[in-house]
Amino acid sequence: MATYAPPIPVVSAHRVEREPRGWTSWITTTDHKRIGIMYMVTTFLFFCLGGVEALMMRLQLGAPNNTLVTPVVYNQLFTMHGSTMIFLFVVPMMAGLANYFVPLMIGARDMAFPRLNALSYWLLLAGGVVFYASIFWNPPEAGWTSYVPLSLTSYTPSGGQDAWIYLIHLTGLSSILGAINFYATIANMRARGMSWGRLPLFIWAILTYSILIIFAMPVIAGAVTMLLTDRHFGTHFFDPGTGGSPILWQHLFWFFGHPEVYIMILPGFGIVSEILPVFARKPIFGYKAIAAATVAIAFLGFLTWAHHMFTTPIPEAILVFVMLSSYLIAVPTGVKVLNWIATLWRGTVELKTPLLFCVGFIALFVIGGISGVFLATFPIDWQVKETYFLVAHLHFVLMGGSVFTIFAAIYYWFPKMTGRMLDEGLGKLSFYLMFVGFLATFLIQHVIGLDGMPRRVYEYDNVGNLALYNQISTVGSFILGMGVLVTIVNVVRSLKVGVTAGPDPWKANTLEWFTTSPPPVNNFDTIPLVRSVEPMKDIRREIERRTHGTQATGGATVPTGATQVGV
Amino acid sequence: MIPSTLAFFTPLSGGSPNANEIDSLFKITLYVALVIFVLVEGALLYALLRFRARKGAVPAQIRGNTRLEVGWTVAAALILVGLAAVTFAKLSSIQNPPNSSSNGVALASSGNRLYASAQRRLPPNGKSLNIQVIGRQFIWQYFYPGASEPDGLGAPYSYEDMVVPTNTTVTLDIESSDVVHEWWVPELGPKFQAVPGYHNYSWFKVLKPGIYRGQCSLICGRGHARMIATVRALPPREFEAWLASQKKQITEANAAAQAARKKLSTQTGAGQVENP
């Protein structure tokens, strides 16, 4: 006969170390929150550099046959712009957000490998510094795609191309280490009760992002190493004169490059899936469908790379296969958009800045998705590929997509990270400037492309209305830039004078709002038991029940005094 | 929506049947896209305006609706199946060149340099005017039929300006001698990469005489923006006259160069002259 031993209450205490101070503490830190902040600040600086490069290009294209910059400088500008935005802004910015919020959202006290996490950041910074150091000598000029043979020493002898290779190596290594860390953290360190079915959708997105990075990044790392040895150590992987193949580079590059697109957008999908329910005061519509769509997109993302190569000598069977697989990927993506709209449907929508950026994202991403179907249809692609139509498409999904979700995340999580709210008025001004500026810049670029203007040209003749269209685009880009500037002002200002946020200013659903703003070094003193996909809703309900004494409603479902609630 | 108001939102066409077919495929896709665009953006806007937070409004706590979700997944898939079907229906007229018209240039029985392959397509009767397009930093070079020697040497050629006869099916054999370029003349149809070490193929059949502008569309270096390709379509008789005069000019220029070299080599010694 088993004897019943009543549980003995145990006080578990642990020493909370005093927060380190001074600037050296930022160098030695392994705290995921500080590393996250460093990621975000660094990548935002690179975003500003990339933005200035974009504005210089738009200035050059503001008038036909303009002579503001030389062809060499123009080629360097678009190479730096593309590489910066992809490798030094969107991908690591998502890593920064994930760094800060993955442990908080799953109820962990840090990442699985804190020191590796610090290494990821420092590798990223090293990559950025090596790359930008090249502006004092010869910046790279072969485009962010660095097609061979153009990027081989015979045609691009300058060290800038090598700086580009090291950028890919260092940021790629940073991403791979970070991805392994995220995967390990999410797989092993979730709070009690957080089963896979209760994982916040942002965490699903970061998990998928990590898997994509682990599979795709080694391919580009290998490819740029081959490029490096071709350039300096006499190998012939890509040089057609000695039996190499320029097509091989395109395959390797895009085998990485297409999943990279989803590496950049899936975390954004996750951010939107977190923010919409909070401001519609309604659960996410179709949690399982969104999580499943995330995984489906990631899988299909590895089958579509050759749609970047529709104009190469390529067998018909591959053209057809890739068109169909690219169509197929539109289905889960479309499903997500409809789920988001259904989340707003019959809710009570509060038009706060984070929600505005999310809605702006949906509106723009729909356009980018639709133009993507045109590009996936290979006979149409034969006309619009490598033109401003493509430039418009990629900015609709990357800038209207990823960047708008990053701004939504900044406005949504700034109170958690700093303890202060961002100003709503400035936030809305920033949104409207960015939204209008974005449309003015990029909507007209579809037409510029359809009228025959290829991308990556430093000048053009005024055929048809090209001068007018380009002028509109240039004016739009400066409005867009002003919108970004307003957010920078907002952030700097709110750090000093922002309204105190408190732990849960938005009445949100996920665990990061359970702790103080900003969170202490150890994140949580008590980690709550998770009983649904919206743990904070449960906790608020429980607090309400206890403080207002609503036992009459049958409080038996939650045992009174249950420590797992943690309040 | 009246098609003409959308004209500025469609690709350039009108030069060649394949460009026209791509244009019509684009338009069909555009109509479907517009319907989806209006429905989705409309639903988003409606949700925002209709379901704004108001006093007393209670958000419906709905977590999903399997039937609805399966429904729109299937609907999205069906739309894409439809678009794929339209694309496949149009494919043959975009990819396969037609025969030359009777008022085109009289073509000899396809010339011995012509051959068909999976990627290179010939008209049903196997006859086309084949032009070799070679991309190089930063100019396009074209070799026309009419080589004076069996190995292809002595073929008339031109730079930047491609001259072609109207009503004649022109097949292109696209190559590169340095980096990757991309051949594109929008009104004459698809663009294709010129990849060193590879052959790529395209075709067009110009119906109206005129000048069709294009340029290299893949970044190929510092002069990329000025790597122009122009196609000048002439009536068959004028084309033949142009080809003959081009050939004559090249032959004469070669002969003159030969003479100059000979003269120079007698003055300075053969070792001092390039290609004596």
Side-chain angles (χ1 to χ4, degrees):
Chain A
M1 193 177 136
T3 49
Y4 171 71
I8 304 158
V10 177
V11 177
S12 81
H14 56 93
R15 202 160 64 93
V16 177
E17 284 179 31
R18 212 150 59 87
E19 270 195 60
R21 288 174 189 283
W23 65 272
T24 50
S25 67
W26 287 93
I27 295 173
T28 56
T29 188
T30 57
D31 176 7
H32 72 98
K33 297 181 290 296
R34 287 186 152 211
I35 294 172
I37 299 260
M38 291 198 291
Y39 257 106
M40 286 181 242
V41 171
T42 309
T43 53
F44 204 87
L45 288 176
F46 283 123
F47 173 62
C48 295
L49 287 173
V52 169
E53 285 150 13
L55 291 179
M56 284 169 74
M57 283 190 280
R58 276 319 321 167
L59 272 182
Q60 162 69 14
L61 295 176
N65 298 319
N66 201 358
T67 51
L68 182 71
V69 298
T70 62
V72 183
V73 171
Y74 189 84
N75 286 7
Q76 292 165 347
L77 283 173
F78 69 66
T79 304
M80 299 290 283
H81 169 75
S83 308
T84 302
M85 290 308 195
I86 289 165
F87 297 106
L88 293 173
F89 177 54
V90 176
V91 176
M93 174 55 104
M94 294 305 184
L97 288 167
N99 237 302
Y100 202 105
F101 290 103
V102 164
L104 284 168
M105 288 174 94
I106 64 171
R109 292 207 162 92
D110 204 327
M111 297 279 285
F113 310 111
R115 283 187 200 168
L116 195 67
N117 200 20
L119 180 64
S120 293
Y121 169 74
W122 293 107
L123 282 173
L124 166 77
L125 186 68
V129 168
V130 165
F131 185 58
Y132 267 88
S134 72
I135 61 174
F136 299 108
W137 289 276
N138 296 298
E141 50 179 291
W144 87 276
T145 49
S146 285
Y147 272 19
V148 290
L150 180 61
S151 58
L152 295 177
T153 33
S154 334
Y155 304 101
T156 308
S158 89
Q161 191 58 44
D162 300 303
W164 182 85
I165 291 172
Y166 295 132
L167 167 82
I168 309 300
H169 270 148
L170 291 168
T171 57
L173 195 54
S174 156
S175 293
I176 293 170
L177 296 178
I180 293 170
N181 214 342
F182 292 133
Y183 189 94
T185 308
I186 296 168
N188 299 308
M189 296 172 68
R190 302 191 304 277
R192 212 149 56 87
M194 186 177 279
S195 56
W196 292 107
R198 292 175 190 167
L199 211 56
L201 285 165
F202 178 69
I203 305 296
W204 268 113
I206 293 299
L207 187 72
T208 319
Y209 157 96
S210 304
I211 294 169
L212 282 170
I213 286 179
I214 291 168
F215 279 101
M217 280 290 177
V219 177
I220 190 70
V224 296
T225 307
M226 290 156 80
L227 181 60
L228 187 74
T229 59
D230 262 19
R231 283 174 62 84
H232 298 298
F233 305 109
T235 57
H236 307 288
F237 293 111
F238 304 122
D239 179 11
T242 45
S245 165
I247 300 281
L248 175 64
W249 169 263
Q250 295 193 26
H251 276 295
L252 292 173
F253 185 85
W254 291 114
F255 185 83
F256 144 82
H258 200 73
E260 176 83 342
V261 171
Y262 298 103
I263 289 170
M264 290 190 278
I265 195 67
L266 285 179
F269 287 177
I271 291 164
V272 173
S273 303
E274 291 302 330
I275 295 178
L276 286 181
V278 172
F279 293 92
R281 302 275 156 234
K282 201 172 152 267
I284 188 83
F285 188 91
Y287 169 88
K288 279 186 185 159
I290 294 182
T294 307
V295 178
I297 289 171
F299 175 73
L300 293 171
F302 278 105
L303 300 180
T304 59
W305 81 89
H307 69 211
H308 298 268
M309 301 168 60
F310 278 155
T311 61
T312 57
I314 198 168
E316 173 113 15
I318 293 183
L319 293 177
V320 170
F321 172 81
V322 174
M323 178 178 94
L324 294 180
S325 64
S326 308
Y327 274 7
L328 202 56
I329 212 165
V331 175
T333 316
V335 163
K336 281 193 177 216
V337 169
L338 295 174
N339 274 309
W340 290 324
I341 295 174
T343 302
L344 296 173
W345 206 267
R346 293 182 59 198
T348 50
V349 181
E350 295 163 28
L351 286 185
K352 296 273 171 53
T353 314
L355 183 96
L356 280 178
F357 273 104
C358 285
V359 170
F361 153 80
I362 298 173
L364 299 177
F365 189 78
V366 166
I367 300 175
I370 289 176
S371 62
V373 172
F374 286 81
L375 287 154
T377 310
F378 64 88
I380 296 179
D381 186 73
W382 287 341
Q383 272 292 11
V384 294
K385 185 185 189 302
E386 300 295 343
T387 70
Y388 266 86
F389 188 93
L390 184 78
V391 175
H393 162 75
L394 80 90
H395 283 92
F396 265 89
V397 290
L398 199 45
M399 170 106 208
S402 306
V403 176
F404 270 61
T405 64
I406 287 168
F407 273 74
I410 290 173
Y411 278 89
Y412 179 61
W413 279 321
F414 184 85
K416 180 48 67 183
M417 294 187 281
T418 63
R420 292 183 186 275
M421 306 294 288
L422 283 169
D423 186 73
E424 268 297 305
L426 285 176
K428 284 183 174 148
L429 177 66
S430 174
F431 168 76
Y432 286 113
L433 283 174
M434 280 177 73
F435 190 73
V436 171
F438 180 90
L439 283 175
T441 311
F442 293 108
L443 208 50
I444 196 75
Q445 289 190 359
H446 291 106
V447 182
I448 296 177
L450 290 168
D451 282 358
M453 181 161 157
R455 67 197 288 211
R456 293 168 171 173
V457 291
Y458 70 94
E459 64 173 4
Y460 55 93
D461 294 326
N462 185 16
V463 184
N465 291 319
L466 279 188
L468 173 70
Y469 294 162
N470 274 295
Q471 237 163 43
I472 294 171
S473 184
T474 299
V475 171
S477 69
F478 278 84
I479 300 174
L480 180 54
M482 255 165 3
V484 174
L485 215 54
V486 172
T487 287
I488 295 173
V489 169
N490 199 354
V491 165
V492 172
R493 199 176 148 272
S494 299
L495 279 174
K496 289 255 180 281
V497 302
V499 181
T500 312
D504 187 12
W506 309 118
K507 300 235 174 308
N509 301 329
T510 38
L511 280 183
E512 75 270 29
W513 306 102
F514 180 66
T515 185
T516 54
S517 307
V521 176
N522 62 332
N523 290 354
F524 304 97
D525 285 333
T526 313
I527 294 167
L529 175 73
V530 176
R531 280 177 291 155
S532 76
V533 72
E534 296 156 327
M536 277 306 286
K537 228 182 225 178
D538 303 338
I539 290 167
R540 276 198 303 274
R541 200 178 296 133
E542 178 63 16
I543 293 170
E544 185 122 331
R545 193 183 64 76
R546 285 198 209 165
T547 48
H548 297 293
T550 48
Q551 263 90 344
T553 56
T557 49
V558 183
T560 43
T563 48
Q564 62 261 52
V565 174
V567 283
Chain B
M1 192 77 66
I2 309 153
S4 63
T5 60
L6 281 175
F8 84 105
F9 213 87
T10 54
L12 297 176
S13 60
S16 170
N18 45 357
N20 296 349
E21 288 299 323
I22 291 176
D23 181 52
S24 94
L25 178 60
F26 185 99
K27 278 180 183 141
I28 294 168
T29 314
L30 183 62
Y31 298 141
V32 177
L34 276 175
V35 173
I36 294 168
F37 171 79
V38 169
L39 285 178
V40 176
E41 303 279 11
L44 178 64
L45 203 61
Y46 179 81
L48 276 188
L49 298 177
R50 170 72 181 74
F51 303 111
R52 285 282 293 277
R54 289 182 185 83
K55 253 199 182 144
V58 182
Q61 298 301 303
I62 313 161
R63 288 181 183 274
N65 181 333
T66 311
R67 265 174 139 182
L68 184 64
E69 289 173 62
V70 171
W72 66 41
T73 308
V74 172
L78 284 179
I79 292 169
L80 291 166
V81 168
L83 283 179
V86 175
T87 306
F88 290 134
K90 288 258 176 209
L91 203 50
S92 151
S93 58
I94 295 169
Q95 284 186 311
N96 299 325
N99 283 335
S100 295
S101 314
S102 52
N103 54 352
V105 161
L107 295 162
S109 61
S110 77
N112 48 11
R113 292 185 65 218
L114 293 190
Y115 52 94
S117 72
Q119 283 144 53
R120 159 182 249 188
R121 289 153 196 278
L122 291 176
N125 65 6
K127 290 183 190 174
S128 70
L129 181 87
N130 193 55
I131 298 178
Q132 195 185 6
V133 177
I134 295 177
R136 58 180 52 161
Q137 285 180 326
F138 299 97
I139 198 161
W140 292 102
Q141 187 179 14
Y142 317 107
F143 283 95
Y144 301 84
S148 45
E149 293 172 41
D151 58 2
L153 285 178
Y157 58 84
S158 67
Y159 288 99
E160 191 167 307
D161 231 5
M162 180 194 279
V163 180
V164 297
T166 53
N167 296 315
T168 309
T169 304
V170 176
T171 49
L172 302 177
D173 184 347
I174 305 165
E175 295 158 54
S176 165
S177 65
D178 42 39
V179 303
V180 183
H181 302 276
E182 199 164 52
W183 165 262
W184 187 41
V185 180
E187 286 156 288
L188 301 184
K191 62 169 73 64
F192 284 105
Q193 284 182 16
V195 187
Y198 290 80
H199 288 251
N200 217 342
Y201 304 99
S202 186
W203 66 272
F204 58 78
K205 182 181 172 186
V206 186
L207 302 174
K208 285 178 299 192
I211 289 172
Y212 301 91
R213 284 174 37 92
Q215 67 190 96
C216 175
S217 57
L218 190 82
I219 178 68
C220 58
R222 296 175 177 183
H224 167 57
R226 281 287 154 222
M227 190 167 160
I228 305 294
T230 319
V231 173
R232 190 149 51 94
L234 302 176
R237 195 160 298 170
E238 288 176 38
F239 167 76
E240 277 165 344
W242 173 86
L243 195 63
S245 96
Q246 187 81 353
K247 196 172 178 180
K248 188 161 153 259
Q249 281 178 38
I250 292 171
T251 317
E252 283 170 7
N254 279 343
Q258 192 83 28
R261 280 195 207 100
K262 204 170 224 169
K263 193 176 164 201
L264 214 60
S265 69
T266 53
Q267 288 168 358
T268 62
Q272 305 296 313
V273 186
E274 227 181 315
N275 303 323

